[in-house]
Amino acid sequence: MRVPAPQIRQQLVSVLSAWGMSPAHADTTAEMMLETDLRGVDSHGISMLPTYDREFRAGRLNMRPSFKTVREGPAFALIDADASLGHPVSVHAMNLAVDKCRASGVAVVSVVNSHHFGAAGCYSRIAADRGVIGMVTASTRGVTMVPTFGAEPVMGTNPLAFAAPARRNSPFELDMATTTVAAGKVKVYKLNHRPLPAGWVVDDKNQTVTDPEQAFGYVFDKPEGGITPLGGAREVGGHKGYGLAVMVHILGGALAGASFSPIRNRTQKPSDPHNIGHFFLAIDPRAFRAPGEFEDDLDQVIDTLHGAKRADPAQPVLVAGDPEMATRAERLRDGVPVPDDLMEQLRNVAKSANVPFVLGER
């Protein structure tokens, strides 16, 4: 079923408000979650609401946080998110990094004691929309990635996002997991009862799993098996994805003092907050180039890539961000697809929150 974007936003705000979020934080969280769905990142938008509901009811989410600046200087800051959902603090942190880089050229803001924040690309785009380069990484809660030469999952999906502003073209926007696929994408395939592509998930014998129910079990329930690093097997570059995942955790987790996924599972109690960390880097091109020169050069790069000879005449060469923006335009026009299984879960969330269920209305 296709649901218009305003109805999704309305449903999100009503549930988040019922959980005790302030109006400002509920609006920000709903905006980031909706933006995630509009971009086609179905694993990280409204489909996360049932998970947030479980975390809230388990006492691991603080819906009335007071963000605390732990350390700060002209070009950096460390913010404690007070065990809150990650969307509001991440919008604040990215904007703070942009503000600081305007004066210093480059700035980094780290966040500790946070939670899931949706799609990393939504935050790097904030920087690009304000005319600077943005880079975002985050640690993760789940232990889903089987490292190169490993037999058990040790890392998370550890996202990396990067956005840069052009003048004529849309910003360059890279948003990726450092695994072959995000864990949430496996959930989406299960919700839609679709077999997974070979190579996404492996079992305890490192054999590929395509059945969506079995794959979901290896990723979310079982101690063995999981998702392959970006690239898959070592012979085709999986060790590079593994290395990127560790780099992302160093920046997003270790730098801020956030949990490392295996440490969480072995030393943290189930009732403890997740203590996820985020990393926000902002670079002002005007610190390095005359105003507009960087954007003009990036336009030339994007134009050259778009103009490359096509292998298939009907399929143009794209750059990062093109598919998401095309999906965004289509979903703003036609609505966001919500699978039947997810619709039922969302209906139950609304019922538990004692708010009207509006997603099924026409």
Side-chain angles (χ1 to χ4, degrees):
M1 178 178 177
R2 293 268 182 167
V3 180
Q7 285 179 225
I8 289 181
R9 184 184 180 93
Q10 178 185 353
Q11 189 71 77
L12 288 169
V13 169
S14 67
V15 170
L16 295 168
S17 299
W19 291 349
M21 260 195 180
S22 69
H25 282 184
D27 283 344
T28 297
T29 303
E31 179 182 355
M32 291 297 102
M33 292 177 71
L34 174 58
E35 180 64 23
T36 298
D37 278 323
L38 290 174
R39 290 165 173 255
V41 190
D42 296 329
S43 54
H44 285 45
I46 196 171
S47 72
M48 286 299 303
L49 198 63
T51 300
Y52 298 159
D53 180 54
R54 289 192 295 272
E55 295 300 313
F56 168 63
R57 297 186 185 286
R60 288 188 289 263
L61 272 178
N62 179 8
M63 290 296 172
R64 302 291 291 190
S66 178
F67 302 151
K68 178 184 177 183
T69 301
V70 180
R71 298 172 182 266
E72 187 171 21
F76 71 90
L78 173 63
I79 299 171
D80 187 320
D82 197 18
S84 64
L85 203 54
H87 308 73
V89 73
S90 296
V91 170
H92 168 67
M94 187 76 258
N95 277 303
L96 179 60
V98 174
D99 292 342
K100 287 178 174 291
C101 90
R102 291 295 194 197
S104 58
V106 179
V108 170
V109 176
S110 289
V111 173
V112 69
N113 194 20
S114 185
H115 202 283
H116 191 266
F117 72 171
C122 291
Y123 307 105
S124 55
R125 177 62 187 253
I126 290 173
D129 284 344
R130 294 187 61 187
V132 306
I133 297 168
M135 179 173 150
V136 178
T137 73
S139 64
T140 53
R141 168 180 177 257
V143 182
T144 56
M145 189 192 82
V146 180
T148 305
F149 300 135
E152 64 174 350
V154 177
M155 302 287 297
T157 55
N158 292 19
L160 169 65
F162 176 91
R167 190 191 297 272
R168 289 181 290 98
N169 291 292
S170 297
F172 175 90
E173 293 188 75
L174 176 67
D175 186 4
M176 54 177 273
T178 49
T179 45
T180 300
V181 66
K185 189 66 70 68
V186 178
K187 175 186 67 179
V188 171
Y189 271 68
K190 177 177 177 287
L191 286 169
N192 287 280
H193 306 286
R194 294 170 55 195
L196 275 68
W200 280 14
V201 174
V202 293
D203 61 17
D204 56 328
K205 298 180 177 59
N206 206 35
Q207 299 300 305
T208 191
V209 178
T210 59
D211 179 271
E213 294 284 346
Q214 293 180 12
F216 185 90
Y218 279 113
V219 173
F220 291 99
D221 299 329
K222 297 181 180 180
E224 67 278 352
I227 302 174
T228 57
L230 181 65
R234 184 178 186 275
E235 292 74 18
V236 289
H239 58 291
K240 299 177 183 178
Y242 172 36
L244 279 173
V246 178
M247 181 199 80
V248 164
H249 177 75
I250 291 169
L251 292 174
L255 186 65
S259 291
F260 180 52
S261 296
I263 295 175
R264 176 197 320 286
N265 282 356
R266 292 166 186 167
T267 67
Q268 288 182 266
K269 302 188 204 68
S271 59
D272 287 345
H274 290 156
N275 188 18
I276 288 174
H278 314 304
F279 170 90
F280 304 91
L281 167 68
I283 304 172
D284 189 349
R286 292 175 297 182
F288 300 87
R289 308 284 302 277
E293 287 185 348
F294 170 81
E295 292 84 351
D296 288 341
D297 279 0
L298 183 53
D299 270 329
Q300 291 183 37
V301 171
I302 293 172
D303 290 344
T304 299
L305 293 170
H306 281 161
K309 183 178 179 180
R310 305 178 182 184
D312 177 355
Q315 174 58 62
V317 177
L318 305 176
V319 298
D322 287 347
E324 290 83 356
M325 291 304 99
T327 299
R328 190 178 192 279
E330 179 261 329
R331 291 188 172 187
L332 280 172
R333 183 186 67 242
D334 300 333
V336 175
V338 179
D340 290 342
D341 287 5
L342 175 59
M343 189 72 79
E344 189 59 30
Q345 293 176 29
L346 295 172
R347 189 185 302 275
N348 291 333
V349 169
K351 182 178 180 181
S352 296
N354 197 28
V355 298
F357 184 69
V358 301
L359 298 181
E361 296 179 359
R362 282 295 185 184

